[in-house]
Amino acid sequence: MAPPTRTGTEQRAARPRGRELLRAVAEGTAGAVGDEFLRSLTRHLAGAFDAKLAFVAESVGPDGRRARFLAGWLDGGPIEEPIEYDTDGQPCALLAEQAVLAVPEALTTRFPADQTAIELGLESYLAVCLRAADGTHLGHLAVLDGRPMEIDDDDIAALRIFAARAAAELERRRQETALQTSRQRIVEIADDERRRFGRDLHDGAQQRLLGVSNLLRVARGTLGDDAQAHDLLEAAGRELAQAHAELRELARGLHPVALSERGLADVLGSLAVHAPVAVDLEITEAPVPDDAALAAYFLVAESLSNAGKHARATSVRVRVAVKGEELHVEVADDGAGGADATAGTGLRGLQDRMHALGGHLSVHSPAGGGTRVSGVMPVGDR
């Protein structure tokens, strides 16, 4: 249970200062990383400063006019809901231009437009600007209280130390997001090219082969009794049919044109029909975003190909289901096992595709125990 909100008339107990403050917060956050570090930092800063509120906010834009809470601790408990707000009229608006802002008392008198501070009864404020290594404004780390706050150089120095660690975490998050976006964009560009090339094959070379096949049939009807010519045309027809089948498989491997037209379940069903092994299918009928559907298609296609060519499997089970906001794809065969996700380009390419979508791929393939390839991708709002 969260402790009751303190009033401005209560006497402030002695709190750690200088080295003691550093030690208290450092010990409290030791071993924490990522989001857990930010949550732990705000909790222990609030405790060390004996403050009503402590939080880390990320700047939404480079001008610092809008910010988003990443972690916060208020009145003895965490701030669970994400909060995004305009900084105009609030003290944090000044932190885009200065490193530290200290308002030991009369916060709402100095910033009468800060409605949140008024509602929470906040009267003191200490914050440090968070900047990236290149000087980019990332956000701020702040401690606030409902009573006047004793602020000295040691307090500011301690807060700046933890602000540097928080800034490093925010910079890491931004770089991770940028890398994820870059990976996804690379996959999208490659898919666009594959789609274009696949359609060119379908609408160009494949249609020409069909035309030649029709001409061969017409030619056979005009030959009369020339057995040798009939045999030659029959052989040409077989070669043409084989070339058409190989070109169709090539086009399907580049990009399944029918995926956007008929949907994932239909296209996977077609894959199963032409697979070299018996396939047991269980596929969701729920709508799936195009990028996730394409990744699922390639996962199943690659796994079926491997099961027939390398694993000497006799049967394969394919399961595709939407669970919550994730698409789960699993392909399991009864083959020889021993598949190595790092040995070939197929599974490695699938791993890259899954990661670019914010998902992951796992391969379980003990020798003699079959192979199970599983992929999970987000399909909620993105």
Side-chain angles (χ1 to χ4, degrees):
M1 178 181 296
T5 303
R6 294 181 281 105
T7 68
T9 59
E10 294 178 25
Q11 294 297 314
R12 184 184 295 277
R15 66 173 177 84
R17 313 300 290 263
R19 291 178 180 271
E20 291 182 3
L21 190 152
L22 276 173
R23 186 181 301 110
V25 179
E27 290 177 354
T29 57
V33 295
D35 291 343
E36 178 57 31
F37 166 75
L38 297 179
R39 289 191 292 267
S40 181
L41 175 61
T42 58
R43 174 185 178 182
H44 287 91
L45 278 176
F49 275 87
D50 190 24
K52 182 181 179 71
L53 170 65
F55 67 88
V56 177
E58 178 183 36
S59 178
V60 176
D63 57 6
R65 291 189 174 183
R66 192 158 182 81
R68 179 191 303 118
F69 267 46
L70 296 180
W73 194 263
L74 172 66
D75 277 336
I79 299 174
E80 300 288 359
E81 296 297 322
I83 301 172
E84 191 168 311
Y85 59 96
D86 292 324
T87 62
D88 288 344
Q90 302 190 35
C92 55
L94 302 178
L95 288 166
E97 303 296 335
Q98 60 190 72
V100 178
L101 179 62
V103 185
E105 59 185 353
L107 175 65
T108 54
T109 300
R110 183 172 173 183
F111 296 93
D114 191 343
Q115 192 61 37
T116 301
I118 295 172
E119 292 174 357
L120 294 177
L122 300 171
E123 280 301 316
S124 54
Y125 180 97
L126 174 61
V128 176
C129 177
L130 306 181
R131 293 195 180 277
D134 62 0
T136 302
H137 177 227
L138 298 174
H140 53 280
L141 172 64
V143 179
L144 302 89
D145 200 15
R147 301 171 297 186
M149 187 188 305
E150 295 180 15
I151 301 173
D152 60 23
D153 290 343
D154 286 342
D155 294 328
I156 294 174
L159 196 63
R160 294 186 78 157
I161 290 173
F162 293 110
R165 175 65 179 86
E169 175 59 30
L170 264 62
E171 188 167 20
R172 183 198 65 78
R173 289 163 59 100
R174 290 196 174 190
Q175 291 173 346
E176 186 177 77
T177 299
L179 178 60
Q180 181 73 11
T181 301
S182 176
R183 284 175 173 172
Q184 188 166 354
R185 182 58 183 152
I186 290 171
V187 169
E188 289 173 353
I189 291 172
D191 284 343
D192 286 344
E193 284 299 303
R194 292 164 69 106
R195 184 181 297 108
R196 182 188 61 78
F197 192 28
R199 286 196 177 277
D200 286 347
L201 285 178
H202 180 270
D203 297 338
Q206 285 181 278
Q207 297 305 314
R208 288 183 180 277
L209 287 180
L210 285 174
V212 174
S213 180
N214 290 330
L215 289 174
L216 286 177
R217 281 196 295 270
V218 172
R220 280 196 296 269
T222 64
L223 285 177
D225 297 329
D226 190 336
Q228 185 176 9
H230 274 287
D231 290 342
L232 288 173
L233 286 178
E234 287 291 339
R238 288 192 297 271
E239 289 295 321
L240 186 61
Q242 180 64 27
H244 187 265
E246 291 175 357
L247 190 60
R248 185 173 58 248
E249 288 302 311
L250 174 60
R252 184 183 293 129
L254 287 170
H255 194 283
V257 175
L259 185 61
S260 58
E261 299 170 351
R262 305 203 310 262
L264 181 62
D266 192 299
V267 174
L268 291 186
S270 179
L271 268 183
V273 168
H274 295 93
V277 296
V279 181
D280 175 32
L281 286 175
E282 188 175 308
I283 306 170
T284 180
E285 294 291 342
V288 176
D290 290 346
D291 52 0
L294 186 59
Y297 170 86
F298 282 127
L299 189 157
V300 174
E302 177 72 17
S303 299
L304 290 180
S305 176
N306 289 342
K309 290 180 180 179
H310 309 299
R312 301 185 301 280
T314 60
S315 66
V316 179
R317 186 183 73 252
V318 177
R319 298 290 183 266
V320 181
V322 175
K323 300 178 181 179
E325 295 189 345
E326 294 178 332
L327 180 67
H328 290 246
V329 184
E330 181 179 279
V331 183
D333 67 48
D334 62 353
D340 183 358
T342 64
T345 59
L347 289 176
R348 280 189 297 170
L350 285 172
Q351 284 180 327
D352 291 342
R353 180 177 290 274
M354 294 290 176
H355 289 159
L357 295 177
H360 58 85
L361 181 81
S362 62
V363 179
H364 181 68
S365 187
T371 298
R372 184 174 70 251
V373 181
S374 303
V376 179
M377 293 161 282
V379 291
D381 293 336
R382 283 184 281 138

